[in-house]
Amino acid sequence: MRTGSEPVTARSALRMRFWLSVWGVLWTVAGTVGFALAGYPGWALACGVLWLLVTVDLVVVLRHIRQGPHYQPGPDVPPYRPPG
């Protein structure tokens, strides 16, 4: 059931997702370099692809963080009192 206070009380996990993406970038870079130096090109390629995916996720998360909160209710959403 909708109470009307969702935009005020909602919390975003973007900061946690940012730090998990940073952690993922560190591990995938280390994996790519490590497997390439050890002579495992297949594993290095797999880590490189993951590195690309994690970097794209990091860019998306940073873009959303910089956008900030931007909830805009539609015309069918009635006005409500924020929780006290």
Side-chain angles (χ1 to χ4, degrees):
M1 180 175 161
R2 179 173 163 74
T3 64
S5 65
E6 288 86 358
V8 176
T9 58
R11 297 293 179 251
S12 173
L14 285 176
R15 300 263 184 235
M16 180 181 66
R17 218 171 120 195
F18 167 77
W19 288 111
L20 287 173
S21 293
V22 168
W23 182 251
V25 166
L26 293 174
W27 274 102
T28 54
V29 168
T32 303
V33 171
F35 283 126
L37 292 176
Y40 295 105
W43 285 104
L45 179 65
C47 283
V49 170
L50 283 175
W51 181 8
L52 178 65
L53 290 173
V54 172
T55 303
V56 168
D57 182 53
L58 183 62
V59 169
V60 169
V61 168
L62 285 174
R63 182 175 180 268
H64 287 169
I65 289 174
R66 288 191 179 143
Q67 282 179 344
H70 53 274
Y71 174 79
Q72 297 179 359
D76 57 334
V77 177
Y80 58 89
R81 294 180 317 224

